[in-house]
Amino acid sequence: MRILAVLLLLAAGAPAQTLRSAGERRGVLMGTAADTMDIAHDATYAATLAQQYNMIEAENEMKWGGIQPTQGVFNFTPGDTLATFAEAHGMKLRGHNLCWHSYNPRWLAKGDFTPSQLYTLLETYITTVAGHFKGKVFAWDVVNEALAGDGSGLRDSIWYNQPGIGLTGPAYIDQTFRWAHAADPQALLFYNEYDVEDINPKSDAMYSLAKGMLARGVPIHGVGLQFHVSASQGSLTPAALEANMARFAALGLQIHITELDVRIPVDADGKASASDLAAQAQRYRDIVSACLKYPACTAIQTWGFTDKRSWIPHAYKGYGAALPFDKEYQPKPAFASMLQVLKGPTESTGN
Ligand code: XIL
């Protein structure tokens, strides 16, 4: 029995023990948000990142506030550092993001610019940044979080209506994609959004937006589903996740899971209960399983990978422990469930 198991394992190749090697076999990139400061100052962080993942994205350093904190001065150093790290470790670099209502530097957000000035600022920014990272960034979140929470339309922002760049409706979104495509025709261009994981008014609005962009000939290649979710959210059934992915796949778009984390309640020390960790592992399992059902779903990225570095405790009071590795870089049940799903039935049954 044991010999048979060994022979079968040999026939299948060495068992995949990392997310990246298991993902490679399933044709899905396994990624994480990362930060150059942590890479530089935390050797375990850097080693785990390189070992487990084949895609990275700057958590903040490639946002407008990171790249152009001072008007007219572009800082590409962190992005270039990530590109070098990615290349050294056989990883892809995902770009995040070119146009967002948030994380804009003060000079931009409070600059009282006219629509025509903003138009030029955005065009210059996208052209310069996408041009700089041409050949290094394989996919960009071109526009981030442009939809209103209730699905009623576009949210307020300096690019849309406060005062906006002078274009009506979704035309400003179309234009940003056209600029990005002109600057880097090879890059895959994504529209990225949160709270659009199941079928709801906001994901309906995103579906209409993407469909409209395609009809207008806009160069959009995919949608990013952020997946900042909780373990207890009842609406995120496997059927709902799959139905939502199915409709975007049917448009011919790629799907990237871009910012996955599964928050659970924690105590004052940041510790979670065993039952919440198990519920979290099940949630990760369902999400990875849903992605694997659709060839269009080509990347699964978590928003960080260690509970030592996560935005959740800051953004959601009383919650934390949202990532696959704990604060000591030990794999959690969530890691085991992701790996098991990626390995698939043949490897995980062990016979
Ligand atoms: C968050 C970062 O994790 C924080 O460190 C930062 O203070 C704010 O932004 N949606 C996005 C991400 O698209 O860029 C956000 O990242 C989380 C929500």
Side-chain angles (χ1 to χ4, degrees), residues 5 8-9 12-17 22 25-26 285 288-289 292 335-351:
L8 283 172
L9 266 183
Q17 293 305 346
R25 293 172 180 209
R26 305 299 295 269
R285 182 193 312 275
V288 175
S289 301
L292 291 178
F335 171 86
S337 72
M338 288 175 96
L339 190 60
Q340 191 192 29
V341 175
L342 287 168
K343 282 163 127 182
T346 36
E347 277 186 56
S348 57
T349 54
N351 57 25

Side-chain angles (χ1 to χ4, degrees), residues 59-60 63 96 100 103 144-145 192 226 228 259 303 311:
E59 181 168 354
N60 291 309
K63 295 171 180 173
H96 174 80
W100 192 18
Y103 220 88
N144 196 32
E145 303 180 348
N192 192 48
Q226 290 189 6
H228 294 293
E259 304 184 14
W303 204 238
W311 78 308

Side-chain angles (χ1 to χ4, degrees), residues 31 75 121 131 142 190 201 238 284 290 293 304:
N75 176 18
L121 281 167
V142 179
F190 281 73
Y284 270 99
K293 288 207 170 139

Side-chain angles (χ1 to χ4, degrees), residues 38-260:
D38 295 319
I39 293 176
H41 300 297
D42 183 339
T44 315
Y45 180 99
T48 309
L49 183 58
Q51 185 187 38
Q52 293 291 340
Y53 298 95
N54 54 10
M55 181 174 86
I56 44 170
E57 175 169 310
E59 181 168 354
N60 291 309
E61 292 166 305
M62 289 170 73
K63 295 171 180 173
W64 198 310
I67 286 188
Q68 204 184 15
T70 309
Q71 186 170 5
V73 185
F74 289 84
N75 176 18
F76 294 124
T77 307
D80 289 344
T81 302
L82 285 177
T84 304
F85 184 86
E87 200 182 353
H89 298 287
M91 307 163 114
K92 297 214 177 204
L93 177 60
R94 211 176 171 284
H96 174 80
N97 59 66
L98 295 172
C99 179
W100 192 18
H101 66 270
S102 183
Y103 220 88
N104 289 320
R106 210 190 139 73
W107 68 263
L108 175 61
K110 303 271 176 234
D112 283 328
F113 294 107
T114 65
S116 83
Q117 287 174 321
L118 284 171
Y119 182 99
T120 304
L121 281 167
L122 188 58
E123 177 180 20
T124 304
Y125 182 82
I126 292 178
T127 305
T128 308
V129 175
H132 176 86
F133 289 106
K134 186 175 174 174
K136 293 180 180 172
V137 163
F138 87 109
W140 274 106
D141 288 332
V142 179
V143 174
N144 196 32
E145 303 180 348
L147 290 167
D150 60 2
S152 61
L154 299 174
R155 68 170 297 148
D156 297 339
S157 80
I158 56 168
W159 310 120
Y160 173 49
N161 61 349
Q162 294 183 340
I165 64 168
L167 300 178
T168 318
Y172 92 88
I173 299 177
D174 296 357
Q175 187 58 60
T176 57
F177 277 73
R178 294 200 165 105
W179 283 326
H181 186 62
D184 184 356
Q186 302 299 321
L188 297 172
L189 304 183
F190 281 73
Y191 175 79
N192 192 48
E193 191 55 271
Y194 70 100
D195 281 353
V196 290
E197 290 75 24
D198 55 16
I199 306 267
N200 62 47
K202 195 175 180 188
S203 67
D204 288 349
M206 182 161 101
Y207 178 76
S208 303
L209 174 69
K211 202 173 170 184
M213 289 171 77
L214 289 166
R216 295 190 293 275
V218 176
I220 177 173
H221 309 108
V223 288
L225 311 179
Q226 290 189 6
F227 270 94
H228 294 293
V229 299
S230 74
S232 58
Q233 192 176 328
S235 67
L236 298 177
T237 60
L241 300 180
E242 289 166 23
N244 195 43
M245 287 193 187
R247 62 177 172 168
F248 286 104
L251 289 179
L253 292 170
Q254 290 196 34
I255 298 161
H256 283 179
I257 290 174
T258 51
E259 304 184 14
L260 174 59

